[in-house]
Amino acid sequence: MTTIETPNYAYPARSKGRRGPNLEKAGWIFMRASGVVLVVLIFGHLAYNLIWTPGGIHAIDFGFVGGKLADPFWKWWDVLMLWLAILHGSNGMRTIVNDYVHKPKVRAVALGAIGVAAAVLIILGTLITFTFDPCPPNADPSLLPSFCAEL
């Protein structure tokens, strides 16, 4: 009778005798919670843009986006969706790297690249969302939201 040996993983979810926070468990819980919240955010985004907006997809233009991003509720909705999507995706990539990259130096470089990419995308996306000008100067008035004419 032969015995089957279990593989020796470089980063087990919980080493024997280890104390302190279990970061792998926290990452696992985050993926489930952020996935549920993302489903609500994404379907809310799609429902507003495609169903509740008169004209549906044909009404989406610069003026529509400008008007939507002028409302703090939708601005924060979109930023939360952006943050969660990037963190959810980068946590998934981190899990894949930990599972399949066995050389410590290559793993460190890959995890560092994922972290840098996530940070850059979150910073740029947030900056763009909060500095977006729905009424740019010298723009064609027919393309702008209706409230720009009042300014």
Side-chain angles (χ1 to χ4, degrees):
M1 183 169 173
T2 61
T3 60
I4 299 174
E5 292 185 29
T6 57
N8 182 11
Y9 292 107
Y11 289 96
R14 181 63 116 176
S15 299
K16 290 182 180 180
R18 182 173 171 235
R19 298 190 188 273
N22 187 344
L23 297 179
E24 288 300 318
K25 182 178 178 182
W28 185 88
I29 292 170
F30 171 77
M31 290 299 277
R32 275 63 189 169
S34 66
V36 170
V37 175
L38 275 168
V39 166
V40 172
L41 290 172
I42 290 167
F43 280 108
H45 175 84
L46 290 173
Y48 178 79
N49 289 349
L50 302 176
I51 298 170
W52 297 325
T53 300
I57 195 168
H58 302 292
I60 298 176
D61 58 5
F62 182 86
F64 175 82
V65 174
K68 189 175 174 192
L69 288 179
D71 181 357
F73 174 80
W74 288 112
K75 188 177 289 192
W76 279 104
W77 182 287
D78 287 349
V79 163
L80 181 60
M81 188 169 51
L82 171 81
W83 289 348
L84 277 178
I86 292 171
L87 291 174
H88 184 91
S90 60
N91 189 39
M93 291 301 297
R94 180 195 62 82
T95 302
I96 291 169
V97 166
N98 281 339
D99 285 348
Y100 294 107
V101 179
H102 300 293
K103 294 181 180 180
K105 289 182 182 179
V106 176
R107 180 184 297 114
V109 169
L111 293 175
I114 291 168
V116 168
V120 167
L121 290 172
I122 287 173
I123 290 168
L124 289 177
T126 304
L127 183 67
I128 289 167
T129 303
F130 284 107
T131 60
F132 179 75
D133 183 8
C135 305
N138 304 323
D140 182 1
S142 66
L143 299 175
L144 300 177
S146 60
F147 64 82
C148 290
E150 300 166 4
L151 298 177

